[in-house]
Amino acid sequence: MVSYAGTDSIFILIPTESNNKKMFSFESLINSISETIIVFDNKGIIIFVNRAGEEFFRKSMKEMSGHKFSRLFPDEKIISVLISKTISEERPFSGKGEEIKIGRIVNVDFNLSPFFISDENIGAVISLKENLVVVEREDYQFESLVYLLGTIAHEIKNPLGGIKGAAQLLQSHVKSASTSEHINLIIKETDRLNIVLKNYLTLCRKPQFHSVNIHEVIEKALSILEAPLNKKKIAVSRIYDPSIPKVSGDEEKLLQVFLNMIKNALEATKSKGELSFATKVSTEYVRENGKTKRWAVITIKDTGEGIEPEEIQKIFLPFYTKRRDGTGLGLALSKKIILDHKGFIRVKSQPGKGTTFNIYIPFEKKKQANIR
């Protein structure tokens, strides 16, 4: 690594197969890292933040440069204190599963080290990786609500069949056209309700787990809804990680999740909009029950009408919908299915600019060989 005179950048020379050398700046290298990286001078002033850091702190490097961490985030005591200690004592610090306050509370793993150039301590560098904490209380309340609705659905199903049977029997004894029309309406509506209940009860059964290639399930969902996507001229893009391991899941249930997501995107997106699917291994570690692990992430992004901030917490509630012909069950049941797979869903949306769903699913657990 060499520094070129007259510049503030550090460059790396990398030999290629043709023996020609290509030059990469230190900044571009650090910006390619998915972890948050911040560099401080020997007074604790921020002098560099990579792109991942800008996204994590929700501030640009221009906003953060020239300031102490404690000034930007006065409520955060852990990191601020350790920055000073790292610089003054010239020793590293690290933490796992720490909750820090940066305008919001986030759970992170971090490594903080003194920064040396030619044996001179010029400051400190910190790397941060966010842990996504699974909120068990919220999921428990949701599960309880779904269980209650399932119990109600069972109780409604039998008398609904009786209503339809009575209406059909009554229809055979009436001669008035208007009365017959009203009875037909009763039969039609009971059939519609029965379909809703049947779908609900079917989807609420526990999944049957086996090894699943998540890309195959996504492609099957896109194939099923190819006609309506083409009719609306929705451009579909795919960015799949071919090395992603298989997940443990119920293929039919996961298929229903993706079908629900695509249908929502279709309804929210105008003609000639865009829909993208991407898969990757989570860049964050998900912390659950005190342990960290990496998960499969399926990202579904549309260019639709978006969701108002106050609506985001409501969209997964059963029977919550703003569409006249909607049942309000699609997203609720999708969340239930993902919870049954020990996963969770995160949503980002901006009104008028679209919505992004990030679905986290655990990888398939590899069977350990028996060692005697």
Side-chain angles (χ1 to χ4, degrees):
M1 186 156 50
V2 294
S3 177
Y4 283 80
T7 71
D8 294 324
S9 298
I10 297 174
F11 295 90
I12 300 170
L13 293 177
I14 300 177
T16 63
E17 291 181 1
S18 61
N19 292 324
N20 292 324
K21 292 182 178 180
K22 290 189 175 182
M23 190 164 61
F24 296 91
S25 72
F26 174 77
E27 183 176 338
S28 65
L29 182 67
I30 299 302
N31 277 331
S32 69
I33 296 174
S34 60
E35 290 186 16
T36 291
I37 304 290
I38 307 177
V39 181
F40 305 88
D41 67 14
N42 56 15
K43 294 182 180 179
I45 303 296
I46 295 171
I47 57 175
F48 177 78
V49 183
N50 71 342
R51 289 199 187 109
E54 291 179 313
E55 293 179 8
F56 178 74
F57 288 105
R58 299 175 185 175
K59 294 180 184 291
S60 67
M61 186 169 76
K62 185 177 179 180
E63 290 177 285
M64 297 180 70
S65 295
H67 298 289
K68 286 195 172 185
F69 194 87
S70 56
R71 180 179 174 185
L72 291 171
F73 307 104
D75 294 330
E76 176 43 44
K77 307 302 180 185
I78 298 173
I79 300 296
S80 297
V81 171
L82 291 180
I83 291 168
S84 298
K85 289 176 71 68
T86 297
I87 295 170
S88 62
E89 300 177 16
E90 295 188 355
R91 65 189 181 101
F93 294 92
S94 64
K96 290 187 178 294
E98 296 289 345
E99 289 193 345
I100 63 172
K101 300 176 181 179
I102 53 171
R104 66 190 193 283
I105 297 176
V106 291
N107 187 289
V108 299
D109 295 346
F110 71 87
N111 287 288
L112 185 58
S113 303
F115 188 23
F116 293 93
I117 292 183
S118 301
D119 294 328
E120 180 185 354
N121 181 8
I122 66 165
V125 60
I126 189 171
S127 66
L128 289 151
K129 182 181 285 291
E130 182 180 5
N131 295 314
L132 301 181
V133 181
V134 179
V135 184
E136 295 181 355
R137 177 177 171 79
E138 177 191 345
D139 291 345
Y140 173 77
Q141 291 174 337
F142 178 83
E143 290 271 18
S144 299
L145 178 58
V146 171
Y147 175 79
L148 174 62
L149 291 172
T151 304
I152 295 171
H154 274 290
E155 293 300 317
I156 292 174
K157 195 172 185 300
N158 289 334
L160 195 62
I163 292 171
K164 180 180 177 180
Q168 289 173 325
L169 184 63
L170 182 62
Q171 188 178 44
S172 63
H173 292 84
V174 299
K175 297 180 180 180
S176 168
S178 61
T179 303
S180 180
E181 183 179 343
H182 290 141
I183 293 173
N184 280 332
L185 180 62
I186 293 172
I187 294 171
K188 181 180 177 181
E189 289 302 301
T190 53
D191 283 340
R192 185 177 69 85
L193 287 173
N194 195 49
I195 290 172
V196 171
L197 292 174
K198 183 179 178 181
N199 289 338
Y200 181 84
L201 293 172
T202 299
L203 287 170
C204 280
R205 67 170 174 80
K206 291 295 180 182
Q208 302 296 312
F209 291 102
H210 57 275
S211 181
V212 175
N213 183 322
I214 204 69
H215 298 145
E216 292 178 358
V217 183
I218 295 171
E219 287 302 311
K220 186 174 180 179
L222 288 169
S223 176
I224 292 171
L225 294 174
E226 183 178 7
L229 285 167
N230 289 339
K231 184 178 180 181
K232 250 188 153 179
K233 298 181 180 178
I234 303 294
V236 178
S237 63
R238 303 162 175 84
I239 306 175
Y240 294 157
D241 179 352
S243 66
I244 196 168
K246 290 185 177 182
V247 301
S248 179
D250 186 316
E251 186 172 348
E252 290 304 313
K253 282 182 165 291
L254 291 174
L255 174 63
Q256 191 60 53
V257 171
F258 297 134
L259 288 173
N260 288 340
M261 294 291 182
I262 297 171
K263 287 175 182 176
N264 278 351
L266 271 167
E267 292 172 354
T269 307
K270 295 180 180 178
S271 180
K272 298 182 180 180
E274 297 176 8
L275 175 65
S276 67
F277 278 82
T279 60
K280 64 177 183 179
V281 177
S282 62
T283 54
E284 323 92 327
Y285 285 88
V286 180
R287 185 171 290 276
E288 184 179 33
N289 299 325
K291 298 179 180 179
T292 56
K293 52 186 176 181
R294 305 285 286 277
W295 294 21
V297 184
I298 302 95
T299 300
I300 306 168
K301 184 177 182 181
D302 65 54
T303 56
E305 61 193 24
I307 306 169
E308 295 292 338
E310 63 272 14
E311 299 292 321
I312 288 180
Q313 298 302 318
K314 302 176 184 177
I315 61 174
F316 291 108
L317 293 175
F319 303 110
Y320 179 81
T321 181
K322 299 187 78 173
R323 296 189 174 92
R324 291 181 62 185
D325 57 346
T327 63
L329 284 175
L331 287 179
L333 294 177
S334 294
K335 178 174 179 178
K336 174 66 168 61
I337 290 169
I338 298 302
L339 286 178
D340 284 343
H341 283 73
K342 307 301 181 184
F344 59 98
I345 304 175
R346 300 184 95 191
V347 188
K348 294 180 182 178
S349 189
Q350 190 172 352
K353 293 191 176 180
T355 302
T356 300
F357 288 89
N358 288 307
I359 302 172
Y360 290 74
I361 303 175
F363 289 123
E364 179 182 20
K365 291 183 179 179
K366 294 182 180 180
K367 294 181 180 179
Q368 301 294 321
N370 291 325
I371 301 175
R372 295 184 180 182

